[in-house]
Amino acid sequence: MKTLRTSPLALTVIAAVIALVFSVIITSVVLSISGFNPPSVFQAMIDFGLEPDSVVNTLNRSSTYYLAAIAVAIGFRMNLFNIGVDGQYRLGAMLAAAVGGAFALPPVIHQVVIILVAMAVGGMWAGIAGLLKVTRGVSEVISTIMLNFIATGIVAFLLHEDRLATQVAGSNNIGTEPIASSGRVPGIPYPGAGLEIYGLVLLAVAVGVGFHVMINRTRFGFDLRATGLSSSAAVAGGVDARRMVVAAMLISGMAAGLIGMPQLLGSSYSYGLDFPGGLGFIGIGIALLGRNNPVGIAFAALLWAFLDQSSQILEFNEIPKEIVAITQAAVLLSVVVVYEIVRRLGLRWQQQAVAAELAAGSAKRSKEVAA
Amino acid sequence: MSTTERPKVAEPAFELHGITKRFPGVVANHDIDLRVTVGTVHAVVGENGAGKSTLMKILYGMLRPDEGTIRVGGERVAFGSPADAIARGIGMVHQHFMLADNLTVLENVVLGAEKLHGIGGKARRRIEELAKKYGLQVEPGRLVEDLGVGDRQRVEILKVLYRGARILILDEPTAVLVPQEVEELFENLRELKREGLTVIFISHKLDEVLSVADEISVIRRGTTVSKCLDPGEVTARELAQLMVGSELPVPELRESTVTDRPALKLTSLTVRDESGRAVVDDVSLTIHHGEILGIAGVEGNGQAELVEAVMGMRSPDSGSIVLDGQDIGAWPTRRRRESGIGFIPEDRHRHGLLLESSLWENRILGHQTERPNAKGFWIDRSGARADTRRIVDEYDVRTPGIDVSAASLSGGNQQKLIVGREMSGKPKLLIASHPTRGVDVGAQAAIWDHLRRARAEGLAVLLISADLDELIGMSDSLRVILRGRLVAEADPAAVTPEQLGSAMTGASSEGER
Amino acid sequence: MRRGLKTTLVMLTGAALTLSAGACGGKKATTGGDSGEGAKKTVKVGLAYDIGGRGDKSFNDAAFAGLDRVKQNLNLEIKDIEATKNETDNDKIQRLDLLAKSGYNPVIAVGFAYAGALGKVAPKHPNTKFGIVDDGSVEGPNVTNLLFAEEQGSYLVGAAAAQKSESGKIGFIGGVDTPLIKKFEAGYVAGAKKAKPDIKIDVKYISRGTDFSGFTDPAKGKTIAQGQYDGGADVIYHAAGLSGLGLFQAAAAEKKFAIGVDSDQYQNAEADQKPYIITSMLKRVDTAVYNFVEDTNKGTVKAGPVIFDLKNQGIDYSKANTEAIAGLQAKMDEYKQEIIDGKITVPTK
């Protein structure tokens, strides 16, 4: 019995390792062809990636990646492809920054208000796609892509001196009014590092735990998973598919709204032209890599962030840092293939194991009968 | 490939001797002997889990035996893969079709066998030639998604023949067919036999086996208990006893438990499809507590839509649905289930199970809001697990545990799990579509028993089945559905399967209102 | 795709050449003496780009041209590092910190996006000199702000455009509507109105807000240029980086005029486009970088803003297309002198 339960998990880990090894091989080949020595390149990346500042950056970066991937995974768990995570994140972060900068509230309340605004905006934006799917049958893939464009337009419109933005004196940047210190989240010092870990890395952890609990321990999560595994069976089982679509999109959008929070409240305090975009798309890859599982996504986000971070040393050594993009693409591609193979093998092994146990049981029973 | 000489009658197509297959720690097959004569239909019968599938996988090269010999055409062989088996002229038609819906019949047949006759006119001619020769009429140019189940099966058989098979293994081929289609299939099999091909027919439907097989072998607990029985000399009852080693269950109700309290009352229920055609047309019926009402009909005459309307999965265009005096017509599915409707769906894979989830999670499905599965907002894992163990015990679900995935159980055991789940929590009304389809005789008897017991306690059942014996034996009253309308009423005590069958096709007007 | 790549390469090498050539005719003749001294010290110069990096045809490339000249003329060791996508302030902090820690001095940050990061890194390395292009908000004893009066040059090319126009309508294409590009627009509009008060100006931005694709999309640049020409404009000025290449294509196709930006785009344009490029507004990021390094090397660098404008030739216009610019120069030079003398104050918004 024990082997039946643990083997799928072991297989998953093996699959991830295989994918990683495969991608390292591909990267090595590319490096060798380009005339570099793979071991020394990897060594340089690892050395640099483990420096205290790099560790801090990796953690910070992975916290945003993690939130992005969770947002995507919530949709994936229900077979909904929320490509609009990026737009939900940007709109949520921008409006939250604007609200946070407009009022000074007592600490804690201030932060909570900002975070709630981000969630509300992100959720609302994704909810539009959910409603369109339910009422008009519009594929969420199409509508969320469109909503990304609209979000870009809205952000551009609002990020203007006449509206929500101000220009910093002497700077060519433009951004929302900086959030007062009452609304900021202090960083966590890391030994030896000049940088600090965003305080809201803990928010990412909390969201991961929340996601796990919601999916595995609540009725809503059960309905969500059931719909994702077999929507026909879920409907027959009394799940209101339309309501679930809207709810899942809302929650996914709320998580998307959180993506910008660690950075906003931990370092930039303002949504400006230099606020990073495209995180929602990275989230798709990381959710795939982490198999939509909160723990898996955590590892995937850390790996991704580590690769992004350690790639910075490559240029210092005159190696094009695009090499890392090849590694990342190879990991993703191979992981998709390997996971599918493992899934099928796992199912087959389980079926065989069940058949074997049953045969053993009936053999025992027949012996008992004979006796 | 186009051998036309008639083989000698007694020549064995293949022989298995002393086949033993061990899985780690257990023996799935032991000392199996099987001798199949060329140009016959040879039935292999046995309960689910008796080892039929393992045996067939060995013969088809999917598994390697640990001991024993296989001879094909007198020559000893060892198959490393299905490709080796095909090369020896052995082909398999799986229970679940492996066809690509969006390809044509021609494309499906040549897929993976392009080397034989290309993919163009030559291949088409070969298919037409085969179809004509064996009476397997399908148009090569049609899309598979437009085909019915029977046609799809013929495509599967064509696929195997196209690859040059002389020995065909058919795994539970009738499980998905309606009676008319079964008859057509048997006609095809007889045609194949006449052309000198050998057919291995795996089934546990004994009537069918008796009507089509030339020889019957029975497998029980991994070994052959009877070899090459003559269907003329055994009865279904004897076969069943060989299979299970015990009495054959009979679908029958002892005394009426019908009360005068209506449980479900449908009035002028009409459901239209997208094109506006009434697929359920003005259906009115009442099921009382303690009553089983059977609906007979050829598949596709509105049964599925009727069930979906009662379950709230499809909204009716007019008419009312009243459960225990309450109009539930506007209620969502969940509320209907919460108010005491149990549902055994026709297609358990599509509507009854989350195949990749564990058994205890499947216990929750459809009862997410009810105890012992949930406590308010939360899923009660330990409650659900405990109750799953109860179901596994009470309904004899053969499984090593409740953490295995539903997909790893055999069809019959999956069905027992569903029945157990739907009978939990004392439902008022059970919608049972083909409750014993694909279930072995032992499990069938158990399910009937459970239905009878619940009925005695006041359960109302809407029973839909393609098994006419089951319908007649288990129903307190019977209706016949044809093109969405209830066209006839029959008395289960008096009607014969033949009469019912002709009423189903609209040939008879006996008992019409 | 292939053609795009080819053009990119041509443009890249061309840009580097012209920029170096242009600078030779420039000021500061004291270069020669220092180069030997610099070599002995093995000074290492670090430069960090903004997103886009080398090859953007805009100031990243101009910055590299300056850096390259540092390597050639001053014989110093150089290192340039690009930004990663979706990076945050912390990544920029680490990049600058890495350069400073590894002994690079001076360190130059290209682009206003580095402002926040530099503000945190500069105090940690008091002995390292930092330069930042296009930002005046960071202050520190070791921070030099390399600023440009883009509006002044834009004012002059605006005057050129208005004079050249026969239809009475001219166009402006901005890459992204950032405050920086708005400065170009404001100067251009003011200059054109000065030369011809009734001139009509069609202003378009390719992308807006945080969407920076407007700097790298020649196809969209071409579509918008085509639209402005169709709408009656006959001279168009762009401040859209790589997207400006689309403007030149449209100009050649329509046989109407265009004005380049940042570097002398006449020099590296395709032959069929050359006649239509009247002039270019020159923003000498290369000069700024070179001078900053040179001054640091000599120890004469000053903290605080250094403004490059018409007066010190950090901003200028190109006279390379003598045929097209004939007859326009008189007024341009007149305005130029008035701006230098302080008689005209060019708006920045």
Side-chain angles (χ1 to χ4, degrees):
Chain A
M1 206 37 248
K2 195 146 201 163
T3 52
L4 285 178
R5 287 196 65 189
T6 50
S7 63
L9 181 68
L11 286 173
T12 305
V13 173
I14 291 167
V17 170
I18 291 173
L20 196 60
V21 168
F22 179 72
S23 66
V24 165
I25 291 171
I26 293 213
T27 312
S28 303
V29 169
V30 174
L31 280 170
S32 303
I33 292 172
S34 316
F36 301 107
N37 175 20
S40 72
V41 171
F42 293 134
Q43 189 60 47
M45 283 177 68
I46 290 168
D47 287 346
F48 177 70
L50 294 180
E51 280 179 17
D53 274 357
S54 295
V55 171
V56 171
N57 267 351
T58 301
L59 282 175
N60 288 344
R61 200 192 286 262
S62 61
S63 71
T64 50
Y65 287 0
Y66 186 72
L67 289 166
I70 291 286
V72 173
I74 292 169
F76 272 159
R77 273 298 180 100
M78 234 191 85
N79 285 340
L80 283 173
F81 197 172
N82 181 2
I83 302 186
V85 167
D86 203 53
Q88 292 142 24
Y89 140 65
R90 283 184 282 122
L91 202 61
M94 198 235 150
L95 290 175
V99 169
F103 312 99
L105 295 165
V108 182
I109 296 177
H110 200 169
Q111 286 89 335
V112 169
V113 165
I114 292 170
I115 290 172
L116 287 180
V117 168
M119 289 174 76
V121 172
M124 185 208 73
W125 203 243
I128 293 174
L131 282 178
L132 281 174
K133 186 182 176 79
V134 168
T135 57
R136 286 274 163 272
V138 183
S139 158
E140 78 283 359
V141 174
I142 311 267
S143 60
T144 52
I145 291 176
M146 300 294 194
L147 284 166
N148 273 348
F149 284 107
I150 299 174
T152 304
I154 294 177
V155 169
F157 175 79
L158 293 177
L159 207 60
H160 189 280
E161 287 117 274
D162 299 340
R163 289 173 275 272
L164 296 180
T166 52
Q167 190 172 350
V168 187
S171 163
N172 279 309
N173 197 358
I174 180 171
T176 56
E177 196 71 44
I179 295 167
S181 59
S182 61
R184 302 180 179 182
V185 175
I188 304 162
Y190 180 84
L195 303 168
E196 287 191 324
I197 301 167
Y198 295 151
L200 288 184
V201 163
L202 297 175
L203 175 74
V205 175
V207 167
V209 173
F211 176 65
H212 175 81
V213 170
M214 181 193 81
I215 282 287
N216 293 309
R217 297 296 165 108
T218 68
R219 267 164 43 185
F220 175 81
F222 184 89
D223 287 355
L224 188 100
R225 270 187 305 143
T227 312
L229 288 167
S230 165
S231 66
S232 53
V235 168
V239 176
D240 183 340
R242 292 151 61 95
R243 230 193 71 212
M244 287 307 295
V245 166
V246 175
M249 284 306 278
L250 277 175
I251 296 176
S252 171
M254 280 157 70
L258 291 174
I259 297 170
M261 294 301 105
Q263 147 116 12
L264 182 70
L265 303 186
S267 143
S268 60
Y269 312 124
S270 153
Y271 187 93
L273 294 180
D274 56 346
F275 214 81
L279 291 172
F281 300 108
I282 295 180
I284 295 172
I286 294 173
L288 272 177
L289 189 57
R291 294 194 82 181
N292 304 323
N293 173 297
V295 178
I297 292 174
F299 283 109
L302 281 168
L303 173 67
W304 219 252
F306 176 81
L307 287 173
D308 277 349
Q309 176 62 29
S310 54
S311 71
Q312 303 209 1
I313 196 66
L314 295 180
E315 259 206 314
F316 222 78
N317 296 332
E318 309 295 334
I319 300 165
K321 64 166 181 276
E322 281 72 16
I323 291 282
V324 163
I326 294 175
T327 310
Q328 290 173 333
V331 169
L332 257 192
L333 199 64
S334 44
V335 98
V336 170
V337 175
V338 175
Y339 277 158
E340 184 55 25
I341 293 171
V342 162
R343 192 186 69 82
R344 290 187 191 176
L345 279 181
L347 197 60
R348 196 179 302 163
W349 287 357
Q350 197 181 41
Q351 279 171 341
Q352 283 175 3
V354 168
E357 289 216 20
L358 288 180
S362 67
K364 207 173 82 190
R365 224 175 306 167
S366 71
K367 255 181 233 150
E368 282 165 6
V369 172
Chain B
M1 218 155 302
S2 50
T3 332
T4 42
E5 57 177 300
R6 294 295 294 244
K8 273 180 280 169
V9 175
E11 187 188 330
F14 69 87
E15 277 176 291
L16 302 180
H17 184 71
I19 295 288
T20 299
K21 177 71 190 172
R22 295 183 197 89
F23 289 113
V26 293
V27 185
N29 280 172
H30 58 99
D31 292 328
I32 286 200
D33 292 332
L34 198 62
R35 185 173 186 280
V36 175
T37 315
V38 164
T40 61
V41 174
H42 191 108
V44 176
V45 299
E47 273 197 296
N48 283 327
K52 292 175 302 202
S53 297
T54 305
L55 181 62
M56 290 308 134
K57 281 178 180 164
I58 289 170
L59 182 55
Y60 188 52
M62 289 163 80
L63 291 174
R64 272 168 177 280
D66 298 322
E67 288 170 28
T69 55
I70 304 174
R71 284 173 196 277
V72 176
E75 197 180 328
R76 189 165 168 183
V77 293
F79 297 143
S81 72
D84 295 347
I86 292 168
R88 287 281 177 171
I90 298 175
M92 181 136 171
V93 175
H94 296 271
Q95 184 175 2
H96 295 286
F97 302 149
M98 299 179 172
L99 298 173
D101 276 356
N102 50 353
L103 297 183
T104 63
V105 169
L106 169 72
E107 288 163 340
N108 263 294
V109 170
V110 300
L111 192 67
E114 295 85 352
K115 279 186 189 158
L116 293 176
H117 307 283
I119 56 168
K122 208 172 140 206
R124 175 184 293 265
R125 277 194 297 283
R126 176 70 187 150
I127 291 170
E128 279 163 355
E129 185 186 311
L130 285 171
K132 196 158 166 240
K133 188 168 168 190
Y134 299 114
L136 297 161
Q137 286 313 328
V138 274
E139 287 171 42
R142 284 189 69 182
L143 280 180
V144 164
E145 65 184 354
D146 298 334
L147 299 182
V149 177
D151 281 338
R152 285 176 193 228
Q153 192 166 53
R154 279 189 279 280
V155 177
E156 283 281 8
I157 295 173
L158 266 179
K159 252 170 81 176
V160 173
L161 293 175
Y162 188 81
R163 284 155 177 73
R166 304 289 299 161
I167 301 168
L168 274 70
I169 307 169
L170 278 74
D171 186 8
E172 306 262 3
T174 61
V176 291
L177 302 179
V178 297
Q180 279 75 3
E181 288 172 329
V182 169
E183 206 30 65
E184 284 171 35
L185 172 70
F186 288 173
E187 208 41 62
N188 294 145
L189 296 187
R190 291 186 190 107
E191 196 66 43
L192 294 173
K193 184 171 79 177
R194 263 196 291 283
E195 293 295 326
L197 270 61
T198 309
V199 177
I200 319 289
F201 182 90
I202 303 172
S203 183
H204 54 244
K205 293 196 181 168
L206 303 177
D207 289 340
E208 292 172 2
V209 166
L210 288 172
S211 85
V212 74
D214 300 309
E215 294 167 344
I216 303 169
S217 294
V218 182
I219 293 185
R220 189 170 80 219
R221 288 183 186 137
T223 193
T224 34
V225 290
S226 312
K227 277 166 276 188
C228 296
L229 297 171
D230 183 342
E233 290 170 9
V234 287
T235 64
R237 185 161 289 270
E238 286 165 349
L239 270 182
Q241 282 169 8
L242 285 170
M243 275 163 67
V244 294
S246 62
E247 271 305 287
L248 179 69
V250 185
E252 60 180 6
L253 298 169
R254 284 181 194 90
E255 67 279 349
S256 173
T257 57
V258 182
T259 64
D260 54 359
R261 288 178 296 126
L264 179 75
K265 193 167 165 78
L266 304 180
T267 316
S268 301
L269 191 72
T270 301
V271 179
R272 296 180 190 281
D273 63 9
E274 291 81 14
S275 63
R277 195 171 60 90
V279 283
V280 175
D281 195 355
D282 195 26
V283 166
S284 298
L285 58 81
T286 302
I287 310 177
H288 298 90
H289 282 285
E291 177 183 5
I292 298 179
L293 185 139
I295 303 262
V298 177
E299 233 160 297
N301 273 285
Q303 297 97 318
E305 291 81 2
L306 175 66
V307 166
E308 287 176 8
V310 174
M311 285 311 296
M313 293 154 69
R314 183 188 277 266
S315 52
D317 291 80
S318 62
S320 70
I321 306 168
V322 173
L323 179 71
D324 271 354
Q326 256 184 312
D327 186 344
I328 62 166
W331 291 9
T333 304
R334 172 157 296 163
R335 191 156 168 213
R336 294 184 198 204
R337 298 193 77 132
E338 283 168 353
S339 69
I341 303 184
F343 178 37
I344 300 170
E346 172 182 354
D347 184 338
R348 57 177 168 259
H349 288 182
R350 257 173 68 76
H351 291 127
L353 294 169
L354 302 173
L355 285 171
E356 288 176 41
S357 296
S358 65
L359 300 191
W360 67 266
E361 284 175 300
N362 274 289
R363 163 67 185 93
I364 299 173
L365 183 71
H367 305 266
Q368 292 96 312
T369 56
E370 297 159 24
R371 288 190 173 255
N373 301 326
K375 277 185 190 153
F377 182 71
W378 303 96
I379 290 286
D380 181 353
R381 288 161 82 108
S382 56
R385 293 174 66 95
D387 202 56
T388 310
R389 282 193 207 97
R390 173 189 67 81
I391 291 172
V392 166
D393 286 347
E394 281 183 19
Y395 287 80
D396 190 27
V397 180
R398 308 270 172 90
T399 171
I402 58 169
D403 289 297
V404 299
S405 68
S408 59
L409 296 191
S410 68
N413 283 309
Q414 290 173 349
Q415 187 73 5
K416 284 189 272 186
L417 179 72
I418 292 177
V419 173
R421 175 181 78 195
E422 298 303 328
M423 300 284 264
S424 305
K426 295 237 186 259
K428 297 174 190 164
L429 171 68
L430 180 72
I431 312 290
S433 290
H434 310 277
T436 60
R437 179 179 271 186
V439 169
D440 63 56
V441 281
Q444 195 176 35
I447 290 174
W448 285 336
D449 261 351
H450 284 288
L451 280 178
R452 280 187 211 106
R453 208 176 306 143
R455 164 177 165 273
E457 288 169 19
L459 178 74
V461 179
L462 177 65
L463 177 67
I464 288 163
S465 180
D467 180 344
L468 299 184
D469 290 330
E470 178 179 63
L471 265 183
I472 294 170
M474 289 299 295
S475 300
D476 292 300
S477 57
L478 272 172
R479 301 281 189 287
V480 177
I481 193 166
L482 181 66
R483 291 184 212 100
R485 300 182 71 88
L486 295 186
V487 293
E489 209 167 320
D491 177 4
V495 75
T496 65
E498 288 70 26
Q499 289 166 330
L500 204 54
S502 51
M504 281 158 61
T505 55
S508 155
S509 58
E510 184 226 23
E512 194 160 353
R513 285 177 287 184
Chain C
M1 196 58 220
R2 190 190 284 165
R3 192 166 146 264
L5 183 63
K6 209 171 124 198
T7 0
T8 308
L9 289 170
V10 170
M11 293 291 297
L12 221 164
T13 44
L17 281 172
T18 37
L19 285 166
S20 328
C24 282
K27 61 240 147 66
K28 302 256 180 191
T30 49
T31 324
D34 304 328
S35 65
E37 225 178 278
K40 271 175 248 155
K41 282 193 236 159
T42 63
V43 171
K44 300 195 288 183
V45 182
L47 185 141
Y49 296 110
D50 195 358
I51 297 156
R54 215 193 287 173
D56 74 339
K57 309 286 165 303
S58 186
F59 60 61
N60 282 335
D61 268 355
F64 175 71
L67 194 64
D68 197 43
R69 211 140 50 79
V70 164
K71 189 179 170 188
Q72 305 295 329
N73 295 357
L74 305 180
N75 199 18
L76 304 182
E77 196 181 315
I78 60 165
K79 170 78 70 190
D80 55 329
I81 306 188
E82 296 186 6
T84 30
K85 270 191 286 180
N86 317 309
E87 67 172 28
T88 60
D89 262 8
N90 274 353
D91 297 299
K92 295 193 171 73
I93 290 172
Q94 202 186 10
R95 186 170 310 119
L96 296 178
D97 200 49
L98 186 65
L99 284 166
K101 257 197 312 213
S102 314
Y104 289 88
N105 187 8
V107 171
I108 304 156
V110 181
F112 64 82
Y114 276 99
L118 186 57
K120 287 176 185 148
V121 174
K124 275 171 46 188
H125 301 277
N127 297 324
T128 303
K129 302 291 180 199
F130 291 93
I132 180 162
V133 178
D134 278 351
D135 179 85
S137 67
V138 189
E139 291 167 4
N142 55 342
V143 176
T144 307
N145 311 87
L146 307 170
L147 302 172
F148 292 86
E150 295 94 345
E151 72 281 2
Q152 293 183 357
S154 300
Y155 189 90
L156 299 187
V157 298
Q163 291 182 76
K164 189 82 182 174
S165 172
E166 288 168 10
S167 65
K169 192 169 179 185
I170 57 174
F172 174 80
I173 299 175
V176 185
D177 64 342
T178 61
L180 180 65
I181 302 302
K182 291 248 166 108
K183 249 163 104 186
F184 287 79
E185 180 200 332
Y188 178 71
V189 169
K193 291 233 160 107
K194 172 79 175 173
K196 226 185 235 180
D198 61 342
I199 193 86
K200 286 196 186 103
I201 303 153
D202 187 356
V203 175
K204 287 254 159 62
Y205 283 91
I206 300 176
S207 70
R208 293 183 175 270
T210 50
D211 174 9
F212 279 77
S213 65
F215 285 130
T216 54
D217 196 340
K220 263 196 193 152
K222 186 178 178 184
T223 310
I224 290 175
Q226 209 102 42
Q228 293 191 341
Y229 286 134
D230 289 348
D234 53 359
V235 184
I236 301 174
Y237 171 46
H238 85 89
L242 196 60
S243 308
L245 301 185
L247 164 64
F248 300 143
Q249 289 164 14
E254 297 277 323
K255 306 207 184 309
K256 288 182 179 157
F257 293 102
I259 296 173
V261 77
D262 286 354
S263 56
D264 186 353
Q265 298 198 292
Y266 172 81
Q267 301 288 358
N268 44 48
E270 312 240 339
D272 62 324
Q273 297 169 357
K274 280 194 173 192
Y276 304 102
I277 302 175
I278 307 172
T279 180
S280 297
M281 196 286 278
L282 304 176
K283 175 178 174 180
R284 312 306 295 260
V285 179
D286 55 331
T287 308
V289 167
Y290 185 86
N291 289 354
F292 171 69
V293 176
E294 193 182 38
D295 289 347
T296 313
N297 216 14
K298 282 194 299 189
T300 58
V301 75
K302 288 195 191 85
V306 178
I307 294 165
F308 293 85
D309 56 10
L310 287 173
K311 200 187 225 163
N312 59 16
Q313 296 177 36
I315 291 287
D316 208 343
Y317 71 92
S318 147
K319 306 172 187 72
N321 191 351
T322 47
E323 198 180 315
I325 206 168
L328 309 177
Q329 262 181 286
K331 233 178 198 174
M332 289 172 82
D333 288 340
E334 184 193 322
Y335 294 158
K336 181 177 174 181
Q337 196 54 50
E338 286 183 31
I339 292 170
I340 292 171
D341 294 345
K343 287 179 192 157
I344 297 177
T345 310
V346 185
T348 56
K349 273 187 183 173

